[in-house]
Amino acid sequence: MRIAELSRRSGVAVPTIKFYLREGMLPPGERTRPNQAQYDDDHVRRLRLVRAMVELGGLSVAAVRDILATVDSPTDDLDALMGTVSKGLTQAPEEVDEGALDEVIALIEEMGWTCTREHPAARSLAMVYTAAREIDHPQLIAAMRQYAEASVQIARADLDYVENFTGIDRVLESVVVGTVLGDSALAALRKLAQTSESHSRYRQDDPPPE
Amino acid sequence: MRIAELSRRSGVAVPTIKFYLREGMLPPGERTRPNQAQYDDDHVRRLRLVRAMVELGGLSVAAVRDILATVDSPTDDLDALMGTVSKGLTQAPEEVDEGALDEVIALIEEMGWTCTREHPAARSLAMVYTAAREIDHPQLIAAMRQYAEASVQIARADLDYVENFTGIDRVLESVVVGTVLGDSALAALRKLAQTSESHSRYRQDDPPPE
């Protein structure tokens, strides 16, 4: 297919496709004439993956390139691949308070999880602990055990979702989509559940309207 | 106290305090001389609340003003207050697909929750449904029931946390802090739980390193 059709099928504008080509985020098409190239279904799939990472995940060009390098390296280690993508999607703080990180590691051990101090999400959680203390809300940290238990349930749903897909590109795309759209969905569901829980705690004498 | 001390105690820079005063987000101090005003503990508390909403919640000046108007109206309806704040913190899309919203409402009813179609989080979740279909990932929607069940657990932890506080300002501050820092904490815990779940599903023959 020509670039116009690639654009139509992928939902990505032609100038954006050209940018991805220049940046090496999309392999070049097969040149048929000096000013024309042919693209195939692999390009459509790759473009969808890039789009998911850039538009939904807000990843930098450099981060997308790292992830694509992993995708393109010959491996069938799904666990390692998912780890790379998941870490690429986490904004890990450069510096964290080691004491806060110790607390996070204690929670990880309590949960029986297999994650190390270097996991970007562990560092990111340590930042939340530090921020909560700085603004005088250490009580938030007490909620983390319950959050962690709920997260196990969420992670199981996430892995079930990823197992719907076959082929490295589609699997990775599903990890990116699941992480980004999933975070939005969870934030919304959390608010809906809070509203309902607040009703039932503080309005017990007042049945909900029909 | 003078403005310099207010700045020190609240962690908010003097020019920012002056901006909040001009915008009516902080009540004026008691004028002691033409160019001098005295502030008290109420100012410190209010400033912390404003700071939590602006810096952590990323709320607009207009949204903060709406919330403060609710805080300042004489009421002891905690449920209504929390609803206002929680809605102020949700970016509700202007237009949503009504079919997707129907699906969200069906989930809400399945969960026995007391939320209406107008709840900003219901609209925000409908947007996620639409986005998932647009990028050809409808399978994500199947995960929502499990997400919703996990959210009930999270909401209980959230309300327990809010119950640590007394006084409308502190309670509302805790809702803002809990929502914003809580979303970051959950995103991190979700990734840690995914890593661990992925290890146990795909690496059963390979015990985790010491």
Side-chain angles (χ1 to χ4, degrees):
Chain A
M1 77 194 83
R2 306 260 293 271
I3 196 164
E5 162 117 20
L6 179 61
S7 167
R8 202 184 53 72
R9 284 189 47 195
S10 63
V12 178
V14 171
T16 309
I17 295 177
K18 287 184 175 167
F19 170 76
Y20 292 157
L21 285 165
R22 277 199 305 276
E23 293 290 330
M25 291 151 81
L26 188 69
E30 196 193 336
R31 210 150 278 283
T32 48
R33 288 194 222 163
N35 267 318
Q36 216 175 84
Q38 285 290 325
Y39 302 90
D40 58 23
D41 287 346
D42 285 344
H43 287 94
V44 177
R45 270 191 296 276
R46 174 55 55 97
L47 208 42
R48 282 211 323 219
L49 174 58
V50 170
R51 187 187 166 199
M53 291 192 280
V54 173
E55 289 182 22
L56 297 173
L59 294 195
S60 66
V61 168
V64 170
R65 274 215 213 89
D66 279 358
I67 291 173
L68 292 177
T70 313
V71 180
D72 293 330
S73 65
T75 176
D76 56 359
D77 185 348
L78 190 60
D79 182 51
L81 268 174
M82 286 187 46
T84 304
V85 176
S86 166
K87 283 171 190 172
L89 287 167
T90 309
Q91 303 281 346
E94 303 253 318
E95 291 205 17
V96 292
D97 178 77
E98 293 296 321
L101 194 50
D102 287 342
E103 287 176 88
V104 169
I105 296 301
L107 175 64
I108 286 173
E109 283 171 1
E110 216 178 299
M111 296 300 297
W113 289 349
T114 52
C115 308
T116 64
R117 275 181 103 74
E118 283 69 41
H119 196 301
R123 301 174 70 82
S124 165
L125 186 57
M127 279 293 289
V128 173
Y129 280 34
T130 305
R133 289 224 174 76
E134 269 172 8
I135 56 172
D136 198 20
H137 279 253
Q139 298 88 342
L140 188 69
I141 296 167
M144 292 301 137
R145 175 65 200 245
Q146 269 176 277
Y147 277 16
E149 275 159 20
S151 299
V152 171
Q153 211 176 333
I154 292 165
R156 285 195 187 126
D158 288 335
L159 276 276
D160 289 346
Y161 156 71
V162 167
E163 286 178 358
N164 282 306
F165 300 91
T166 48
I168 286 297
D169 266 33
R170 282 292 274 171
V171 166
L172 289 179
E173 187 187 280
S174 74
V175 174
V176 176
V177 169
T179 300
V180 178
L181 282 188
D183 276 353
S184 301
L186 283 166
L189 284 164
R190 183 181 170 212
K191 291 211 183 73
L192 293 171
Q194 283 171 350
T195 298
S196 192
E197 180 72 15
S198 166
H199 271 291
S200 68
R201 285 198 195 190
Y202 307 121
R203 274 200 175 174
Q204 277 166 344
D205 48 346
D206 184 352
E210 289 301 302
Chain B
M1 76 195 83
R2 306 261 294 270
I3 196 164
E5 163 114 19
L6 179 62
S7 167
R8 202 185 52 73
R9 282 190 45 196
S10 63
V12 178
V14 170
T16 309
I17 295 177
K18 287 183 174 167
F19 169 77
Y20 292 158
L21 285 165
R22 278 198 306 276
E23 293 290 329
M25 290 152 82
L26 189 68
E30 196 193 335
R31 209 150 279 282
T32 47
R33 288 193 220 162
N35 266 319
Q36 215 175 84
Q38 284 290 325
Y39 301 91
D40 58 22
D41 287 346
D42 286 343
H43 287 95
V44 177
R45 269 191 297 275
R46 174 55 56 100
L47 209 41
R48 284 213 321 219
L49 174 57
V50 169
R51 186 186 167 200
M53 290 192 280
V54 173
E55 289 181 21
L56 297 174
L59 293 195
S60 66
V61 168
V64 170
R65 276 216 211 88
D66 279 357
I67 291 173
L68 293 177
T70 313
V71 180
D72 293 332
S73 64
T75 175
D76 57 358
D77 185 347
L78 190 60
D79 183 51
L81 267 174
M82 286 187 46
T84 305
V85 176
S86 166
K87 284 171 190 172
L89 287 167
T90 310
Q91 302 281 345
E94 303 253 316
E95 290 205 18
V96 293
D97 177 78
E98 291 297 321
L101 193 51
D102 287 342
E103 287 177 87
V104 169
I105 296 301
L107 175 64
I108 287 173
E109 283 171 3
E110 216 178 297
M111 296 300 297
W113 288 349
T114 51
C115 308
T116 65
R117 273 182 107 71
E118 283 69 41
H119 197 300
R123 301 175 69 82
S124 164
L125 186 57
M127 279 292 289
V128 173
Y129 280 35
T130 305
R133 289 223 174 76
E134 269 173 8
I135 56 172
D136 197 20
H137 280 255
Q139 298 89 340
L140 189 68
I141 296 168
M144 291 302 138
R145 174 66 200 246
Q146 270 176 279
Y147 278 16
E149 276 159 20
S151 299
V152 172
Q153 212 175 333
I154 292 164
R156 287 198 185 123
D158 288 335
L159 276 277
D160 289 346
Y161 156 70
V162 167
E163 285 177 359
N164 282 306
F165 300 91
T166 48
I168 286 296
D169 266 33
R170 283 292 274 171
V171 167
L172 289 180
E173 187 186 280
S174 74
V175 174
V176 176
V177 169
T179 299
V180 178
L181 282 188
D183 276 352
S184 301
L186 282 166
L189 284 165
R190 182 180 171 214
K191 291 209 185 73
L192 293 171
Q194 282 172 352
T195 298
S196 193
E197 179 72 16
S198 166
H199 271 291
S200 69
R201 285 199 195 188
Y202 307 120
R203 273 201 177 174
Q204 277 165 344
D205 48 346
D206 184 351
E210 289 302 299

